[in-house]
Amino acid sequence: MTNAGHRLLWTIVALLLVAGGAAALAAGNGTLPGADPQAALLNAGLLDRWRTATPWSTLAAAVGGVLLALAGHRLLAREVRRPAGSLRGTLSHPGRRPGRTRLATDVLTDALVRDLTANPEVRRARVVLTGEPPRPDVWIRVDLTADAATAGVREHVRAAVRRFAATTDCQPAHLDVTARIEPGQP
């Protein structure tokens, strides 16, 4: 699901919850037309049906609650995972001759991390690839030493990305680099 799809889904869930809460509040305060604030929220017919189906109605409510909780857990777990659209599995390029070249994306990101950390001023690096293989988005985070020369590191990152693009035949559609400098004596 795309980022726009996730935003739309969470907006719909939020609006449904707000609408339900507002309706219950309006009914409880007596501002809902035709609702008595002293009466039960459910009408007498529904309450009678609930009571006649006593063991099964409670079980149905419990099962419904568990299913809603599982759906919420699954939705939340998908949100917490790595960025949507991350390249997983293999990166495949059609060749000039019949056949394809396939590379595991973890191998590509690990190679770019090794290339970035080859500079002694870069302590750690993290790379995430998202989007489609011919023009992926590349997200890089580098942690620099306190005495790192930012101009030199910038050129090192540019050169590493150029080597990555030449090696994989994937020109990044979007490149986002975040640099963090470790605290210490500059």
Side-chain angles (χ1 to χ4, degrees):
M1 187 180 281
T2 64
N3 286 338
H6 282 262
R7 285 191 299 271
L8 178 65
L9 177 65
W10 282 110
T11 301
I12 291 170
V13 167
L15 289 176
L16 287 174
L17 290 173
V18 168
L25 185 64
N29 288 334
T31 56
L32 194 64
D36 180 18
Q38 302 303 323
L41 191 56
L42 301 176
N43 65 20
L46 284 174
L47 287 174
D48 287 339
R49 280 188 235 137
W50 178 269
R51 290 182 183 129
T52 57
T54 294
W56 299 110
S57 59
T58 306
L59 182 62
V63 168
V66 167
L67 289 176
L68 281 174
L70 288 175
H73 178 268
R74 183 174 178 199
L75 185 62
L76 202 56
R78 286 184 168 218
E79 289 296 322
V80 175
R81 271 197 257 163
R82 59 192 215 180
S86 292
L87 296 176
R88 293 181 187 90
T90 58
L91 179 67
S92 177
H93 283 292
R96 291 190 177 93
R97 298 182 186 139
R100 290 184 173 272
T101 301
R102 293 182 181 266
L103 293 170
T105 54
D106 290 342
V107 172
L108 295 175
T109 57
D110 289 346
L112 186 52
V113 166
R114 276 193 310 276
D115 194 3
L116 290 167
T117 55
N119 186 333
E121 295 175 328
V122 177
R123 290 273 186 223
R124 284 177 298 280
R126 182 169 186 260
V127 176
V128 175
L129 297 176
T130 61
E132 294 298 317
R135 304 240 333 129
D137 295 333
V138 180
W139 307 84
I140 298 173
R141 187 188 78 208
V142 290
D143 294 338
L144 308 176
T145 60
D147 60 343
T150 55
V153 172
R154 179 182 297 133
E155 187 51 43
H156 175 71
V157 170
R158 282 184 185 152
V161 171
R162 280 194 303 268
R163 286 189 294 272
F164 171 80
T167 304
T168 62
D169 196 26
C170 286
Q171 187 62 36
H174 175 77
L175 175 63
D176 187 272
V177 179
T178 303
R180 298 186 317 180
I181 298 176
E182 291 182 348
Q185 294 293 344

